[in-house]
Amino acid sequence: TLKEFTDVYKMESQSTLKLLNVLTTESLYKTVDCKVRSIGRLAYHIAHTVAEMMSKTGLDITCEIKNPSEDMSVTAEQIVTAYQSAVNQLLAEIETKWTDASLQQTNNMYEQDWSNALTLSILLKHEIHHRGQLTVLMRLAGLIVPGVYGPSAEEWEQYGMKQEE
């Protein structure tokens, strides 16, 4: 149902924001390997995909952010703001324009027919997938990684506990 999606997405987007809020503008432009996206490119991709993917379903969602790979004036705060705005737009759009029956409607998504339910599921999984990549890049860039589904190494230490192996 739409309620099930929105309940989960609200929680997952808060986890994404938890990570994005740790990023610094300097960290956006760090790369660890030429075959791997920079932190900024990956954070941009997470934010931008909310609007890009969901606009293919007819929803009116924009993401007002430039790609840090193309514009080195992009700041970490701008990415956070753009992501939060896209999430808020998505939640408002599906609340006002869709019903549970809308989940069965199909759209051409990347040369395939996807139901709106499948699109929402893929959007969620896509974000979680890239959020995992982001945590690795953050660690390699020397940023403190907050826990998402459990404590991070630094959080274990804050709790006075030995990190689980």
Side-chain angles (χ1 to χ4, degrees), residues 64-138:
E64 301 297 325
I65 187 72
K66 295 178 183 173
N67 184 339
S69 296
E70 299 166 1
D71 184 341
M72 298 212 32
S73 70
V74 175
T75 67
E77 293 79 17
Q78 289 171 327
I79 290 177
V80 169
T81 299
Y83 172 76
Q84 184 65 71
S85 175
V87 168
N88 290 342
Q89 290 173 65
L90 170 60
L91 293 171
E93 283 283 294
I94 63 175
E95 182 180 319
T96 59
K97 294 183 178 176
W98 285 5
T99 64
D100 286 344
S102 303
L103 295 174
Q104 302 312 310
Q105 294 172 349
T106 60
N107 298 285
N108 183 298
M109 302 291 289
Y110 315 105
E111 304 303 321
Q112 299 177 7
D113 288 330
W114 293 0
S115 69
N116 286 337
L118 178 61
T119 301
L120 291 174
S121 176
I122 290 174
L123 175 72
L124 185 61
K125 291 170 185 171
H126 173 270
E127 187 166 317
I128 293 167
H129 161 73
H130 286 305
R131 195 172 63 208
Q133 291 177 324
L134 184 60
T135 63
V136 172
L137 294 178
M138 291 170 69

Side-chain angles (χ1 to χ4, degrees), residues 11-12 15-16 18-19 128 131 135 139 144-159 161-164:
M11 180 187 70
E12 293 297 342
S15 293
T16 300
K18 194 175 180 184
L19 296 178
I128 293 167
R131 195 172 63 208
T135 63
R139 175 79 63 214
I144 295 175
V145 178
V148 173
Y149 295 120
S152 66
E154 294 84 1
E155 289 169 335
W156 277 108
E157 292 170 11
Q158 289 174 356
Y159 302 143
M161 301 173 74
K162 181 181 178 191
Q163 181 180 348
E164 291 187 2

